[in-house]
Amino acid sequence: MDEQPSSKTTGKPIKCRAAVSRQPGEPLVIEEITVAPPMAREVRIRIVCTSLCHSDVTFWKMKDYPAIFPRIFGHEAVGIVESVGEGVDEVTEGDSVIPFFMSDCGECVDCRSKKSNLCSNLPFKVSPYMHRHETSRFTDLKGEVLYHFLFVSSFSEYTVVDIAHVTKIDPSIPPNRACLLSCGVSTGVGAAWRTANVETGSTVAIFGLGSIGLAVAEGARLCGASKIIGVDVNPDKFEIGKKFGVTEFVNAGECGNKTVSQVINEITGGGADYCFECVGLASLVQEAYACCRKGWGKTVVLGVDKPGSTLSLSSFDVLHSGKSLMGSLFGGLKAKIDIPILLKRYMDKELQLDEFVTHEVKFEDINKAFDLLIQGESLRCVIWMDK
């Protein structure tokens, strides 16, 4: 995956293909665009392959703010540095890299602390622009601005990413596996590993066995959890979940006159040590909290609920139960430290990534990837830019 720097393009605009979303919910259009050179602290990357995440689909369907069109989606990818802007010394032309949506500036008090991955210099937001300069690097052939997505925009043959959103990786790692660690798999594995710090022999309950929930199961398996309970309305998810360590299954639609939390409290003899909400529903957060072990239980929220949703918890229960409730963005991972660790664990045959990839398509067939994910037929579909 090595590439020699090209003096022909350094510092100049590049014309390339991108899959542009011009209207919410409508098929992406592959068209020629112009990608500007990187500004200070930015990197221009040639995308090798990218994968489709549910967040892409969610914002592609969205009609109201923060939705904005025309936009270039995509935020899970592997690429090769084509050129760098002023002040960039972490990577150089020809390096293999993974871009990611959570900034890791390495300079602020949060990035220097082991306690947080929430950068305060470049805080997370759903912005249509570059993180540092608040402008776009994309235009169509008419000169119209094309908007960025989650600071990555990988559904383009070339993209520009802030250096706080890029980490160098070993070029020998298969790109169609490494790209999964840009978002989804890292989020789930990290939530079990870094946020919850799941202990050996512990009990885990996971609400929602989509890609994130399955990645939580994989993280809990790696941490040595003895019982991993999957909760979903689709019974087929149990067989899939077994590949990632799920040991028991609760069909949320077949609990009779009991709530899901009551069923899990019975299975675990008083509640799971760690509960993870991976769907994005306030009602499920409350169910997860209700079946979390008193005294030491942790409930971790990963699902993205609709704007304005609120939680309702009894203050009496909060005081007397001694439980913890916390959110987890990007699984609590510090990308530049933890992504290389996870990649090594994959290469050492500890972390499972192959099992997440159910489909691979050519860039021209990117809309097929959307169809597969929407129809529930894929976990991760890898999109190759040139294959």
Side-chain angles (χ1 to χ4, degrees), residues 42-238:
E42 295 177 355
V43 180
R44 188 160 60 185
I45 301 167
R46 179 177 69 82
I47 299 296
V48 174
C49 64
T50 180
S51 49
L52 180 64
C53 173
H54 273 284
S55 298
D56 296 305
V57 175
T58 298
F59 282 88
W60 166 71
K61 289 180 177 179
M62 196 178 293
K63 296 180 180 179
D64 300 319
Y65 186 82
I68 188 168
F69 297 89
R71 192 171 219 167
I72 298 174
F73 286 104
H75 62 286
E76 294 187 344
V78 164
I80 296 170
V81 175
E82 174 272 336
S83 61
V84 301
E86 182 183 348
V88 172
D89 54 16
E90 289 182 40
V91 298
T92 189
E93 291 88 345
D95 284 346
S96 296
V97 294
I98 287 181
F100 42 85
F101 72 95
M102 284 288 288
S103 49
D104 186 357
C105 78
E107 300 165 357
C108 69
V109 63
D110 298 277
C111 288
R112 292 199 309 269
S113 169
K114 294 180 180 179
K115 299 177 182 178
S116 171
N117 71 335
L118 304 178
C119 178
S120 51
N121 276 348
L122 299 167
F124 174 73
K125 55 185 175 180
V126 184
S127 167
Y129 299 115
M130 293 296 296
H131 213 159
R132 209 176 297 258
H133 298 288
E134 295 289 333
T135 51
S136 175
R137 301 292 166 269
F138 303 123
T139 51
D140 65 14
L141 293 188
K142 296 178 181 177
E144 180 184 6
V145 169
L146 302 172
Y147 296 106
H148 292 250
F149 182 61
L150 295 183
F151 310 116
V152 176
S153 291
S154 56
F155 294 166
S156 173
E157 290 176 322
Y158 285 85
T159 189
V160 179
V161 180
D162 193 283
I163 189 58
H165 293 270
V166 175
T167 191
K168 182 178 177 180
I169 65 167
D170 182 341
S172 69
I173 299 170
N176 59 338
R177 299 299 182 259
C179 65
L180 304 187
L181 296 181
S182 278
C183 177
V185 174
S186 286
T187 295
V189 171
W193 172 40
R194 289 297 195 207
T195 302
N197 192 22
V198 170
E199 296 173 315
T200 300
S202 58
T203 302
V204 171
I206 303 166
F207 289 73
L209 291 180
S211 295
I212 301 293
L214 293 172
V216 171
E218 175 66 4
R221 182 191 69 80
L222 284 172
C223 291
S226 60
K227 183 178 289 187
I228 302 174
I229 305 164
V231 181
D232 206 287
V233 293
N234 181 356
D236 295 338
K237 292 293 182 72
F238 188 23

Side-chain angles (χ1 to χ4, degrees), residues 105-384:
C105 78
E107 300 165 357
C108 69
V109 63
D110 298 277
C111 288
R112 292 199 309 269
S113 169
K114 294 180 180 179
K115 299 177 182 178
S116 171
N117 71 335
L118 304 178
C119 178
S120 51
N121 276 348
L122 299 167
F124 174 73
K125 55 185 175 180
V126 184
S127 167
Y129 299 115
M130 293 296 296
H131 213 159
R132 209 176 297 258
H133 298 288
E134 295 289 333
T135 51
S136 175
R137 301 292 166 269
F138 303 123
T139 51
D140 65 14
L141 293 188
K142 296 178 181 177
E144 180 184 6
V145 169
L146 302 172
Y147 296 106
H148 292 250
F149 182 61
L150 295 183
F151 310 116
V152 176
S153 291
S154 56
F155 294 166
S156 173
E157 290 176 322
Y158 285 85
T159 189
V160 179
V161 180
D162 193 283
I163 189 58
H165 293 270
V166 175
T167 191
K168 182 178 177 180
I169 65 167
D170 182 341
S172 69
I173 299 170
N176 59 338
R177 299 299 182 259
C179 65
L180 304 187
L181 296 181
S182 278
C183 177
V185 174
S186 286
T187 295
V189 171
W193 172 40
R194 289 297 195 207
T195 302
N197 192 22
V198 170
E199 296 173 315
T200 300
S202 58
T203 302
V204 171
I206 303 166
F207 289 73
L209 291 180
S211 295
I212 301 293
L214 293 172
V216 171
E218 175 66 4
R221 182 191 69 80
L222 284 172
C223 291
S226 60
K227 183 178 289 187
I228 302 174
I229 305 164
V231 181
D232 206 287
V233 293
N234 181 356
D236 295 338
K237 292 293 182 72
F238 188 23
E239 283 305 312
I240 300 169
K242 287 178 181 177
K243 298 178 184 177
F244 303 99
V246 175
T247 58
E248 298 184 42
F249 182 79
V250 174
N251 188 326
E254 297 182 359
C255 292
N257 59 357
K258 296 178 181 177
T259 64
V260 172
S261 57
Q262 288 173 329
V263 172
I264 291 177
N265 279 325
E266 290 175 4
I267 292 173
T268 57
D273 300 310
Y274 305 96
C275 292
F276 298 85
E277 198 282 334
C278 305
V279 178
L281 288 173
S283 58
L284 280 184
V285 175
Q286 288 165 204
E287 280 291 283
Y289 187 76
C291 62
C292 199
R293 183 82 190 182
K294 70 179 187 298
W296 65 70
K298 291 181 182 179
T299 298
V300 181
V301 180
L302 291 91
V304 180
D305 207 340
K306 60 181 179 294
S309 294
T310 57
L311 288 173
S312 178
L313 297 172
S314 160
S315 59
F316 180 90
D317 288 344
V318 170
L319 173 62
H320 289 83
S321 69
K323 307 174 186 181
S324 300
L325 173 64
M326 63 192 74
S328 180
L329 267 177
F330 196 52
L333 298 184
K334 289 185 177 294
K336 297 188 181 187
I337 295 172
D338 291 328
I339 287 178
I341 292 173
L342 291 177
L343 286 171
K344 184 178 187 305
R345 297 195 75 173
Y346 167 69
M347 296 301 282
D348 290 343
K349 302 189 183 307
E350 297 174 13
L351 171 67
Q352 299 182 110
L353 291 180
D354 299 355
E355 290 75 9
F356 285 96
V357 179
T358 52
H359 299 80
E360 300 193 25
V361 300
K362 295 183 292 186
F363 188 39
E364 293 79 5
D365 298 324
I366 190 169
N367 287 304
K368 181 180 178 183
F370 276 73
D371 294 339
L372 289 166
L373 192 61
I374 291 166
Q375 292 161 10
E377 295 180 17
S378 77
L379 291 177
R380 276 296 183 270
C381 181
V382 172
I383 301 144
W384 288 93

